[in-house]
Every structure is written in C-alpha cells, then in structure tokens.
C-alpha cells in the first residue's frame, strides 16, 4: 500500500537517525495555530495551557518549529522553510521579508483564504459581533507577492464543487453545501508524492488558484475540483446554499485549490525594501534593509506550495 512513498519513508527514517540538529521551520499566522487562547478549567486556579493545532504537533516530530511574528521585517537565516497561514493585511515590510526569504532560496508554504471559517466562527462568538458591531473581512492573500510570482488568486471568490458537497447541520435543518468541500481521490494529483496517498481532504470555503507564471516558473496542480464546479461570491456563500443558488452554474473547468510552483522567482519589490509602515508613519519603524543586500531574483531554482484554504489545518473543522 505504501509502495508509492517507500523511498520517501525510508529516507525520512534515515534522516531522523543521521541528523543531530533538526531543520528549522518558521510559522507565521494570523490564526491561533500555536494554540487557542487559554481557558480556565472548572475548579482549577490556573488556565489550561494552549495546545498547538495537530498539524504543528506533527511538524514538531521532525523539525524545530519557531514562531515568526506577523509584523516581522526579516526572517531568521536559520529558518529553511516558512509556513505562512492566513496573511491578513500584513505590512509591506513583512511581505518584503517573505519575498527576500524566497529570493535567498527559502522554501515557502503559503495558505491563504477567501473566507476563514475559523475566524468567522470566532467573530460570531465575540460579544461585539453578536451585538451587530460586525467582525470585519475574513479573507487573506499575499497580494503583490502572488502577482510577481505568477499566482492568480481572487480573495472574493470561493470554489463550489457539486461533486464534493458536504452535509452540514444547523438551525434545525441539514443541507448539502457545495462550498464546504469534501475532496476525494479524484481531486488529487496521484502522480505527485505529496498527494499520492491522500484519500480525503476537507476544505471549508476554499478559493481558486490560477496559473499566471512566466517561462522561468512551473505551476503544478496538486488538488483540483471536478469539472462540475464554479466560482461564487464569498460574501453570498456566508448566507447558505440557497443564497448563492443563482451562481451555482458549473463551468466545466477543473479549478486548482493547491499547487506547487518551482523555478527561478523574481522579487515583488524591484526597487528594494519599502519605506514606512502601512500608514506612512516611519517613526516606530526599524531601519530599511541595506540596499546592497537586496535580491532581485533567486540565485538558484527553488519551490513553494500555495494552498487556497486555511481551515483544512484547523482541528475544529478537519
């Protein structure tokens, strides 16, 4: 059963034995992926300590996992792989730090989302949101970085797949949701090591990626929809299947949800490090990077993963 990944499994075991120092994986996230806020347990004087999401616990088995602040202006050179989850309205300087990490050969896993179910649920539980104050947008993207690297992504659109619907219960009724995706083997790239053994992946409110790369970068789909799929407005989907019924018209395309990009990437900041913060105030900003250290392109080919969903990582959904 594991023949397709036998070489990888053996290599992994050898690496665990032979490596005295674990590779360092950095984690940047606008979601509480390193643990939900501590809650006071009944009859206890101390709150229960936060527990990382299961995906982080798995990473910690093979790697040293370090938290990277979402306002960071540089990435520690010891970090070899950077996991970016739900990059929501991060500053240009933070995006520049991620850009230069990739330019120097770092491996990136970027999980973006047109609608974070985890964040939306937290907003609904928040007292201000319940009183009608509104919780704000729940989408995320790497924006100008995606534009420079050839990743098409619209944070206002969700993927609806009539062959990947999930039965959901709520408000005293059950409905089949085409945007709460239950993806099976037919949705996976079975020729790729990363997805060859995947039988079931649940992706609530995922987005769509498109290939806008040039000659120097290869775009390889890893997870895709069936041909009975289409894109729908993210805001409309929040009100249930009936609200988006008029938009559920399959277009015959297999839309990409996750992809690997490999090749020689160019910087999204050809003029060097951005100056100032998001509001133009530079008083509290660290000094700009040395222009001599700016990298305009990767010295050698590298690779990254881009996934148009974040909730597939969340314990409460998947």
């Amino acid at each position: 059963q594991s023949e397709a990944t036998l070489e990888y499994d053996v290599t992994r075991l050898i690496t665990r034995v032979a490596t005295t120092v674990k590779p360092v994986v950095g984690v940047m996230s606008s979601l509480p992926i390193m643990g939900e806020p501590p809650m006071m347990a009944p009859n206890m004087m101390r709150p229960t300590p936060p527990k990382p999401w299961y995906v982080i616990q798995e990473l910690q088995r093979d790697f040293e996992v370090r938290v990277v602040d979402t306002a960071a202006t540089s990435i520690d050179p010891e970090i070899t792989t950077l996991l970016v989850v739900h990059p929501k309205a991060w500053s240009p300087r933070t995006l520049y730090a991620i850009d230069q990490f990739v330019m120097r050969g770092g491996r990136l896993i970027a999980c973006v989302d047109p609608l974070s179910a985890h964040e939306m649920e937290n907003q609904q539980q928040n007292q201000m949101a319940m009183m009608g104050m509104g919780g704000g947008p729940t989408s995320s993207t790497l924006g100008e970085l995606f534009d420079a690297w050839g990743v098409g992504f619209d944070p206002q659109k969700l993927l609806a797949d009539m062959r990947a619907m999930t039965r959901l219960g709520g408000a005293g009724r059950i409905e089949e949701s085409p945007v709460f995706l239950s993806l099976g083997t037919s949705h996976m790239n079975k020729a790729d090591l990363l997805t060859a053994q995947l039988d079931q992946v649940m992706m609530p409110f995922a987005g769509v990626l498109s290939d806008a790369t040039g000659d120097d970068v290869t775009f390889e789909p890893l997870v895709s929809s069936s041909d009975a799929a289409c894109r729908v407005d993210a805001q409309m989907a929040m009100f249930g299947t009936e609200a988006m019924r008029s938009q559920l018209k399959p277009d015959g395309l297999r839309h990409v949800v996750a992809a690997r990009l490999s090749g020689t990437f160019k910087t999204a900041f050809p003029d060097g490090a951005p100056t100032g913060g998001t509001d133009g105030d530079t008083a509290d900003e660290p000094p700009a990077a040395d222009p001599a250290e700016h990298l305009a392109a990767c010295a050698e080919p590298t690779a990254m993963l881009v996934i148009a969903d974040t909730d597939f990582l969340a314990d409460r959904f998947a």
Side-chain angles (χ1 to χ4, degrees):
Q1 292 181 349
S2 61
E3 182 179 0
T5 61
L6 180 60
E7 181 180 354
Y8 171 79
D9 293 337
V10 172
T11 303
R12 183 183 190 185
L13 291 172
I14 294 173
T15 301
R16 282 183 177 177
V17 174
T19 304
T20 56
V21 179
K22 290 184 176 181
V24 181
V25 173
V27 176
M28 300 180 73
S29 178
S30 297
L31 298 175
I33 194 170
M34 299 305 296
E36 303 286 345
M39 301 283 291
M40 289 295 294
N43 304 320
M44 294 185 66
M45 297 299 294
R46 296 180 180 179
T48 56
K51 186 177 182 180
W53 290 2
Y54 184 77
V55 64
I56 296 298
Q57 296 177 47
E58 278 294 293
L59 283 175
Q60 289 172 335
R61 293 174 59 189
D62 291 314
F63 307 101
E64 178 186 339
V65 176
R66 294 184 188 175
V67 176
V68 180
D69 194 279
T70 57
T73 57
S74 64
I75 307 298
D76 192 323
E78 292 186 357
I79 293 175
T80 58
T81 300
L82 184 65
L83 173 61
V84 170
V85 180
H86 204 44
K88 184 178 176 182
W90 292 356
S91 75
R93 290 201 172 187
T94 298
L95 296 181
Y96 178 74
I98 297 172
D99 174 273
Q100 291 297 285
F101 170 80
V102 172
M103 293 306 106
R104 67 174 186 252
R107 301 300 178 97
L108 175 69
I109 303 173
C111 301
V112 296
D113 212 323
L115 197 163
S116 166
H118 186 283
E119 186 176 28
M120 182 173 65
E121 187 176 86
N122 283 352
Q123 288 182 359
Q124 291 173 346
Q125 293 174 353
N126 182 281
Q127 185 176 6
M128 291 182 65
M130 292 178 64
M131 294 175 64
M133 298 296 290
T138 59
S139 62
S140 60
T141 180
L142 284 177
E144 55 199 299
L145 301 188
F146 281 172
D147 293 341
W149 300 338
V151 180
F153 175 70
D154 186 346
Q156 306 302 320
K157 295 292 185 180
L158 296 180
L159 173 64
D161 191 336
M162 271 36 89
R163 295 197 186 121
M165 295 192 290
T166 303
R167 291 175 63 85
L168 301 176
R173 60 190 178 92
I174 295 178
E175 70 172 21
E176 290 190 323
S177 173
V179 293
F180 202 110
L181 305 174
S182 292
L183 305 173
T185 55
S186 63
H187 298 86
M188 309 299 165
N189 181 345
K190 306 306 289 187
D192 194 282
L193 180 66
L194 288 179
T195 47
Q197 298 297 306
L198 289 179
D199 295 322
Q200 179 80 10
V201 176
M202 186 169 286
M203 289 188 165
F205 310 114
V208 173
L209 305 174
S210 59
D211 184 358
T213 59
D215 295 336
D216 295 331
V217 177
T218 300
F219 181 99
E220 180 185 2
L222 297 176
V223 181
S224 304
S225 73
S226 72
D227 57 6
C230 61
R231 301 196 307 165
V232 299
D233 292 335
Q235 294 301 313
M236 192 67 69
M238 296 174 63
F239 299 99
T241 303
E242 284 302 319
M244 57 182 171
R245 184 71 65 183
S246 62
Q247 298 183 27
L248 296 177
K249 299 176 181 178
D251 53 26
L253 302 176
R254 291 180 61 89
H255 297 279
V256 178
V257 183
R260 178 197 290 106
L261 283 81
S262 55
T264 304
F265 298 92
K266 293 182 174 59
T267 181
F269 299 88
D271 297 328
T275 57
T278 54
D279 57 0
D281 183 10
T282 61
D284 298 324
E285 290 287 328
D290 185 350
E293 298 178 355
H294 173 74
L295 300 175
C298 296
E300 297 179 354
T302 186
M304 68 178 69
L305 295 179
V306 181
I307 305 169
D309 186 50
T310 60
D311 294 309
F312 80 100
L313 299 172
D315 291 351
R316 68 176 67 175
F317 295 110

